[in-house]
């Protein structure tokens, strides 16, 4: 393809720390792309995308690496008998985000593309924690049997999704609250409520939140997991890591692996840009 491609939306899938690949990829390809009209994002992808489009990536990246260096483990069993968190993920996420996104950055995000954060809601008959565990198990089974990136089975169980727009968030705290709700995967992240309903990781319902960019002609879809085969016959343009990323989704204690994941994204993005522009 020669010239500027006709991509008018970008989708950031979930994936926790694997989404550092998306950040490196986007930094490499964004000079070659037009400004998208819509951004759809979920879970870790929502955090990465919000920071990128708010202009706070260098500060976030440095702060996350600093906190990951100081974090010696991802599970602190000794805290089970203390009044301290067993999982460090929410605190690291929140501190890194608020360090990077100021009120001015939030205004830039609100003034930019229509940024949409996807949140999942379990059926009322199930408790939120049980629902989350059930959704993870069902999604894994369906993925292995069908290869689908988004689960139809989970919606059939009564799960549904909702969208929060960045333009609705009046403070950085409100934005990070929505993003943490989109990342709420018990037991690592606590369950909260939104509009009277339990809010869970949006990736449980739609790990690739295409429904939020339904009006786009040609969205670019950024995955966080290496896939051998990507859809090639639809309106979307897919991109994924060229190999399994070094860091796992919930590994917040390996800064070296985070850097390697980001740098892999940069390399993949550079190659993608060359192929895209011919």
């Amino acid at each position: 393809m020669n010239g500027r491609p006709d991509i008018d939306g970008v989708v950031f899938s979930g994936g926790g720390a694997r989404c550092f690949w998306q950040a490196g990829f986007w930094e490499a390809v964004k000079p070659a792309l037009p400004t998208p009209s819509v951004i759809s994002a979920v879970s870790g992808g929502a955090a990465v995308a919000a920071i990128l489009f708010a202009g706070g990536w260098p500060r976030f990246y440095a702060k996350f690496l600093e906190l990951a260096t100081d974090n010696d483990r991802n599970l602190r069993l000794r805290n089970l008998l203390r009044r301290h968190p067993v999982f460090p993920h929410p605190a690291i996420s929140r501190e890194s985000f608020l360090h990077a996104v100021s009120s001015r950055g939030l205004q830039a995000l609100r003034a930019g593309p229509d940024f949409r954060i996807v949140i999942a809601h379990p059926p009322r008959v199930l408790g939120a924690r049980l629902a989350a565990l059930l959704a993870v198990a069902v999604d894994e089974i369906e993925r292995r049997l069908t290869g689908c990136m988004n689960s139809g089975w989970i919606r059939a169980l009564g799960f549904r999704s909702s969208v929060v727009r960045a333009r609705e968030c009046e403070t950085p705290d409100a934005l990070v609250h929505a993003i943490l709700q989109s990342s709420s995967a018990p037991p690592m992240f606590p369950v909260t409520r939104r509009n009277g309903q339990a809010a869970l990781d949006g990736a449980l319902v739609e790990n690739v939140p295409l429904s939020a960019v339904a009006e786009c002609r040609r969205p670019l879809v950024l995955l966080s997991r290496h896939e051998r085969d990507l859809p090639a016959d639809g309106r979307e343009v897919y991109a994924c890591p060229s190999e399994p990323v070094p860091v796992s989704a919930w590994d917040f204690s390996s800064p070296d692996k985070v850097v390697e994941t980001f740098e892999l994204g940069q390399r993949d993005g550079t190659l993608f840009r060359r192929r895209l522009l011919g």
Side-chain angles (χ1 to χ4, degrees):
M1 181 184 295
N2 295 315
R4 291 174 71 82
D6 60 348
I7 289 168
D8 60 342
V10 186
V11 176
F12 287 76
S13 75
R18 294 198 309 264
C19 294
F20 279 95
W21 178 89
Q22 296 171 333
F25 185 94
W26 180 254
E27 291 287 273
V29 302
K30 68 178 181 180
L33 298 178
T35 301
S37 60
V38 178
I39 306 296
S40 171
V42 67
S43 195
V48 163
I51 294 157
L52 288 169
F53 282 87
W57 181 257
R59 288 173 58 81
F60 173 85
Y61 191 39
K63 189 64 174 179
F64 186 93
L65 293 177
E66 173 191 327
L67 295 174
T69 300
D70 292 339
N71 177 39
D72 61 348
R73 63 194 65 191
N74 293 300
L75 175 62
R76 301 171 180 175
L77 290 175
R78 63 182 181 274
N79 286 348
L80 284 171
L81 302 178
R82 305 176 183 177
R83 293 184 178 180
H84 299 293
V86 174
F87 297 95
H89 305 78
I92 291 175
S93 299
R94 182 178 179 82
E95 185 174 348
S96 300
F97 191 95
L98 291 177
H99 178 78
V101 179
S102 62
S103 295
R104 180 177 297 180
L106 175 61
Q107 292 307 313
L109 182 65
R110 294 176 62 181
D114 187 359
F115 191 95
R116 303 168 183 179
I117 302 164
V118 177
I119 297 173
H121 304 286
R124 294 183 183 276
V125 69
L126 296 175
R129 291 172 178 79
L130 175 60
L133 292 174
L134 177 63
V136 169
V138 170
D139 179 66
E140 183 65 22
I141 293 170
E142 183 178 7
R143 184 180 179 87
R144 289 180 179 274
L145 292 178
T146 70
C148 292
M149 295 182 187
N150 285 329
S151 175
W153 295 3
I154 291 175
R155 285 193 183 275
L157 291 174
F159 286 76
R160 67 179 193 84
S161 61
S162 65
V163 171
V164 177
R165 285 176 160 84
R167 295 171 184 175
E168 301 169 1
C169 300
E170 297 184 355
T171 65
D173 271 301
L175 179 64
V176 73
H177 185 61
I179 289 172
L180 290 179
Q181 287 187 318
S182 180
S183 307
S184 180
M188 277 76 72
F189 283 79
V191 177
T192 58
R193 301 187 74 81
R194 192 170 198 94
N195 298 326
Q197 303 174 83
L200 292 175
D201 191 330
L204 294 174
V205 173
E206 197 172 10
N207 188 52
V208 184
L210 291 170
S211 64
V213 292
E215 75 272 34
C216 292
R217 297 184 310 276
R218 194 163 178 78
L220 171 63
V221 180
L222 304 184
L223 306 178
S224 66
R225 190 197 304 264
H226 171 66
E227 302 284 353
R228 291 186 177 181
D229 298 306
L230 293 174
D233 55 354
R235 66 187 176 110
E236 300 89 5
V237 177
Y238 282 85
C240 76
S242 57
E243 60 188 65
V245 299
V247 72
S248 62
W250 300 115
D251 187 357
F252 282 27
S253 63
S254 302
D256 291 345
K257 292 181 180 179
V258 169
V259 171
E260 292 171 14
T261 298
F262 178 77
E263 292 177 347
L264 175 63
Q266 288 181 311
R267 295 194 298 273
D268 288 344
T270 299
L271 293 174
F272 180 92
R273 184 180 66 194
R274 290 171 181 168
R275 291 196 300 268
L276 194 66
L277 298 180

PDB file of all heavy atoms in Angstrom, residues 44-63:
ATOM      1  N   GLY A  44      -5.616  -4.009  30.109  1.00  0.00           N
ATOM      2  CA  GLY A  44      -4.286  -3.430  29.990  1.00  0.00           C
ATOM      3  C   GLY A  44      -4.124  -2.584  28.749  1.00  0.00           C
ATOM      4  O   GLY A  44      -3.389  -1.588  28.750  1.00  0.00           O
ATOM      5  N   GLY A  45      -4.802  -2.960  27.675  1.00  0.00           N
ATOM      6  CA  GLY A  45      -4.750  -2.154  26.460  1.00  0.00           C
ATOM      7  C   GLY A  45      -5.354  -0.788  26.659  1.00  0.00           C
ATOM      8  O   GLY A  45      -4.904   0.204  26.051  1.00  0.00           O
ATOM      9  N   ALA A  46      -6.377  -0.678  27.522  1.00  0.00           N
ATOM     10  CA  ALA A  46      -6.992   0.621  27.807  1.00  0.00           C
ATOM     11  C   ALA A  46      -6.011   1.523  28.544  1.00  0.00           C
ATOM     12  O   ALA A  46      -5.925   2.728  28.273  1.00  0.00           O
ATOM     13  CB  ALA A  46      -8.264   0.430  28.625  1.00  0.00           C
ATOM     14  N   ALA A  47      -5.271   0.962  29.495  1.00  0.00           N
ATOM     15  CA  ALA A  47      -4.282   1.752  30.230  1.00  0.00           C
ATOM     16  C   ALA A  47      -3.199   2.272  29.290  1.00  0.00           C
ATOM     17  O   ALA A  47      -2.869   3.468  29.287  1.00  0.00           O
ATOM     18  CB  ALA A  47      -3.666   0.914  31.339  1.00  0.00           C
ATOM     19  N   VAL A  48      -2.654   1.377  28.469  1.00  0.00           N
ATOM     20  CA  VAL A  48      -1.592   1.761  27.540  1.00  0.00           C
ATOM     21  C   VAL A  48      -2.088   2.819  26.551  1.00  0.00           C
ATOM     22  O   VAL A  48      -1.443   3.849  26.331  1.00  0.00           O
ATOM     23  CB  VAL A  48      -1.071   0.509  26.798  1.00  0.00           C
ATOM     24  CG1 VAL A  48      -0.288   0.908  25.550  1.00  0.00           C
ATOM     25  CG2 VAL A  48      -0.201  -0.317  27.725  1.00  0.00           C
ATOM     26  N   ALA A  49      -3.248   2.585  25.972  1.00  0.00           N
ATOM     27  CA  ALA A  49      -3.762   3.509  24.962  1.00  0.00           C
ATOM     28  C   ALA A  49      -4.059   4.879  25.562  1.00  0.00           C
ATOM     29  O   ALA A  49      -3.760   5.918  24.951  1.00  0.00           O
ATOM     30  CB  ALA A  49      -5.018   2.929  24.321  1.00  0.00           C
ATOM     31  N   ALA A  50      -4.652   4.913  26.743  1.00  0.00           N
ATOM     32  CA  ALA A  50      -4.975   6.196  27.370  1.00  0.00           C
ATOM     33  C   ALA A  50      -3.714   7.017  27.616  1.00  0.00           C
ATOM     34  O   ALA A  50      -3.682   8.232  27.356  1.00  0.00           O
ATOM     35  CB  ALA A  50      -5.720   5.965  28.684  1.00  0.00           C
ATOM     36  N   ILE A  51      -2.682   6.374  28.093  1.00  0.00           N
ATOM     37  CA  ILE A  51      -1.438   7.095  28.377  1.00  0.00           C
ATOM     38  C   ILE A  51      -0.784   7.570  27.084  1.00  0.00           C
ATOM     39  O   ILE A  51      -0.286   8.702  26.992  1.00  0.00           O
ATOM     40  CB  ILE A  51      -0.490   6.194  29.187  1.00  0.00           C
ATOM     41  CG1 ILE A  51      -1.099   5.940  30.566  1.00  0.00           C
ATOM     42  CG2 ILE A  51       0.883   6.825  29.327  1.00  0.00           C
ATOM     43  CD1 ILE A  51      -0.590   4.702  31.245  1.00  0.00           C
ATOM     44  N   LEU A  52      -0.794   6.731  26.059  1.00  0.00           N
ATOM     45  CA  LEU A  52      -0.212   7.132  24.779  1.00  0.00           C
ATOM     46  C   LEU A  52      -0.918   8.357  24.210  1.00  0.00           C
ATOM     47  O   LEU A  52      -0.271   9.311  23.756  1.00  0.00           O
ATOM     48  CB  LEU A  52      -0.303   5.975  23.779  1.00  0.00           C
ATOM     49  CG  LEU A  52       0.620   4.787  24.013  1.00  0.00           C
ATOM     50  CD1 LEU A  52       0.228   3.622  23.107  1.00  0.00           C
ATOM     51  CD2 LEU A  52       2.080   5.174  23.764  1.00  0.00           C
ATOM     52  N   PHE A  53      -2.249   8.361  24.239  1.00  0.00           N
ATOM     53  CA  PHE A  53      -2.992   9.455  23.623  1.00  0.00           C
ATOM     54  C   PHE A  53      -3.115  10.670  24.535  1.00  0.00           C
ATOM     55  O   PHE A  53      -3.508  11.743  24.076  1.00  0.00           O
ATOM     56  CB  PHE A  53      -4.362   8.959  23.159  1.00  0.00           C
ATOM     57  CG  PHE A  53      -4.295   8.180  21.885  1.00  0.00           C
ATOM     58  CD1 PHE A  53      -4.046   6.814  21.907  1.00  0.00           C
ATOM     59  CD2 PHE A  53      -4.431   8.802  20.650  1.00  0.00           C
ATOM     60  CE1 PHE A  53      -3.940   6.083  20.736  1.00  0.00           C
ATOM     61  CE2 PHE A  53      -4.326   8.079  19.473  1.00  0.00           C
ATOM     62  CZ  PHE A  53      -4.081   6.718  19.509  1.00  0.00           C
ATOM     63  N   ALA A  54      -2.759  10.513  25.808  1.00  0.00           N
ATOM     64  CA  ALA A  54      -2.701  11.666  26.712  1.00  0.00           C
ATOM     65  C   ALA A  54      -1.315  12.311  26.703  1.00  0.00           C
ATOM     66  O   ALA A  54      -1.107  13.349  27.336  1.00  0.00           O
ATOM     67  CB  ALA A  54      -3.069  11.247  28.132  1.00  0.00           C
ATOM     68  N   GLY A  55      -0.379  11.687  25.998  1.00  0.00           N
ATOM     69  CA  GLY A  55       0.964  12.248  25.899  1.00  0.00           C
ATOM     70  C   GLY A  55       1.845  11.993  27.103  1.00  0.00           C
ATOM     71  O   GLY A  55       2.853  12.671  27.290  1.00  0.00           O
ATOM     72  N   GLY A  56       1.496  10.999  27.927  1.00  0.00           N
ATOM     73  CA  GLY A  56       2.271  10.758  29.140  1.00  0.00           C
ATOM     74  C   GLY A  56       3.127   9.518  29.127  1.00  0.00           C
ATOM     75  O   GLY A  56       3.583   9.076  30.189  1.00  0.00           O
ATOM     76  N   TRP A  57       3.357   8.948  27.935  1.00  0.00           N
ATOM     77  CA  TRP A  57       4.038   7.660  27.912  1.00  0.00           C
ATOM     78  C   TRP A  57       5.431   7.668  28.536  1.00  0.00           C
ATOM     79  O   TRP A  57       5.747   6.773  29.346  1.00  0.00           O
ATOM     80  CB  TRP A  57       4.115   7.094  26.493  1.00  0.00           C
ATOM     81  CG  TRP A  57       4.805   5.767  26.508  1.00  0.00           C
ATOM     82  CD1 TRP A  57       6.083   5.480  26.145  1.00  0.00           C
ATOM     83  CD2 TRP A  57       4.264   4.542  27.021  1.00  0.00           C
ATOM     84  NE1 TRP A  57       6.374   4.159  26.364  1.00  0.00           N
ATOM     85  CE2 TRP A  57       5.276   3.561  26.902  1.00  0.00           C
ATOM     86  CE3 TRP A  57       3.024   4.190  27.545  1.00  0.00           C
ATOM     87  CZ2 TRP A  57       5.069   2.248  27.306  1.00  0.00           C
ATOM     88  CZ3 TRP A  57       2.822   2.884  27.951  1.00  0.00           C
ATOM     89  CH2 TRP A  57       3.844   1.933  27.824  1.00  0.00           C
ATOM     90  N   PRO A  58       6.325   8.620  28.229  1.00  0.00           N
ATOM     91  CA  PRO A  58       7.673   8.556  28.826  1.00  0.00           C
ATOM     92  C   PRO A  58       7.642   8.537  30.357  1.00  0.00           C
ATOM     93  O   PRO A  58       8.397   7.793  30.985  1.00  0.00           O
ATOM     94  CB  PRO A  58       8.354   9.817  28.290  1.00  0.00           C
ATOM     95  CG  PRO A  58       7.641  10.109  27.002  1.00  0.00           C
ATOM     96  CD  PRO A  58       6.216   9.738  27.271  1.00  0.00           C
ATOM     97  N   ARG A  59       6.766   9.336  30.948  1.00  0.00           N
ATOM     98  CA  ARG A  59       6.682   9.380  32.409  1.00  0.00           C
ATOM     99  C   ARG A  59       6.113   8.072  32.963  1.00  0.00           C
ATOM    100  O   ARG A  59       6.596   7.550  33.969  1.00  0.00           O
ATOM    101  CB  ARG A  59       5.811  10.567  32.847  1.00  0.00           C
ATOM    102  CG  ARG A  59       6.484  11.918  32.631  1.00  0.00           C
ATOM    103  CD  ARG A  59       5.527  13.068  32.904  1.00  0.00           C
ATOM    104  NE  ARG A  59       4.984  13.040  34.246  1.00  0.00           N
ATOM    105  CZ  ARG A  59       5.604  13.494  35.340  1.00  0.00           C
ATOM    106  NH1 ARG A  59       6.822  14.009  35.222  1.00  0.00           N
ATOM    107  NH2 ARG A  59       5.035  13.446  36.528  1.00  0.00           N
ATOM    108  N   PHE A  60       5.094   7.545  32.319  1.00  0.00           N
ATOM    109  CA  PHE A  60       4.505   6.283  32.777  1.00  0.00           C
ATOM    110  C   PHE A  60       5.511   5.146  32.686  1.00  0.00           C
ATOM    111  O   PHE A  60       5.668   4.357  33.637  1.00  0.00           O
ATOM    112  CB  PHE A  60       3.277   5.940  31.929  1.00  0.00           C
ATOM    113  CG  PHE A  60       2.708   4.581  32.233  1.00  0.00           C
ATOM    114  CD1 PHE A  60       1.804   4.403  33.272  1.00  0.00           C
ATOM    115  CD2 PHE A  60       3.095   3.457  31.496  1.00  0.00           C
ATOM    116  CE1 PHE A  60       1.285   3.144  33.568  1.00  0.00           C
ATOM    117  CE2 PHE A  60       2.580   2.207  31.785  1.00  0.00           C
ATOM    118  CZ  PHE A  60       1.680   2.043  32.821  1.00  0.00           C
ATOM    119  N   TYR A  61       6.177   5.048  31.566  1.00  0.00           N
ATOM    120  CA  TYR A  61       7.111   3.950  31.321  1.00  0.00           C
ATOM    121  C   TYR A  61       8.223   3.957  32.359  1.00  0.00           C
ATOM    122  O   TYR A  61       8.559   2.916  32.959  1.00  0.00           O
ATOM    123  CB  TYR A  61       7.674   4.103  29.912  1.00  0.00           C
ATOM    124  CG  TYR A  61       8.460   2.924  29.387  1.00  0.00           C
ATOM    125  CD1 TYR A  61       8.079   1.623  29.646  1.00  0.00           C
ATOM    126  CD2 TYR A  61       9.589   3.136  28.581  1.00  0.00           C
ATOM    127  CE1 TYR A  61       8.788   0.545  29.140  1.00  0.00           C
ATOM    128  CE2 TYR A  61      10.302   2.067  28.055  1.00  0.00           C
ATOM    129  CZ  TYR A  61       9.911   0.775  28.347  1.00  0.00           C
ATOM    130  OH  TYR A  61      10.609  -0.280  27.836  1.00  0.00           O
ATOM    131  N   ALA A  62       8.789   5.140  32.603  1.00  0.00           N
ATOM    132  CA  ALA A  62       9.873   5.242  33.584  1.00  0.00           C
ATOM    133  C   ALA A  62       9.377   4.889  34.986  1.00  0.00           C
ATOM    134  O   ALA A  62      10.066   4.183  35.749  1.00  0.00           O
ATOM    135  CB  ALA A  62      10.458   6.654  33.573  1.00  0.00           C
ATOM    136  N   LYS A  63       8.180   5.359  35.337  1.00  0.00           N
ATOM    137  CA  LYS A  63       7.654   5.094  36.677  1.00  0.00           C
ATOM    138  C   LYS A  63       7.314   3.611  36.858  1.00  0.00           C
ATOM    139  O   LYS A  63       7.611   3.029  37.906  1.00  0.00           O
ATOM    140  CB  LYS A  63       6.400   5.943  36.923  1.00  0.00           C
ATOM    141  CG  LYS A  63       5.908   5.893  38.366  1.00  0.00           C
ATOM    142  CD  LYS A  63       6.940   6.502  39.303  1.00  0.00           C
ATOM    143  CE  LYS A  63       6.438   6.606  40.723  1.00  0.00           C
ATOM    144  NZ  LYS A  63       7.457   7.177  41.637  1.00  0.00           N
TER     145      LYS A  63
END
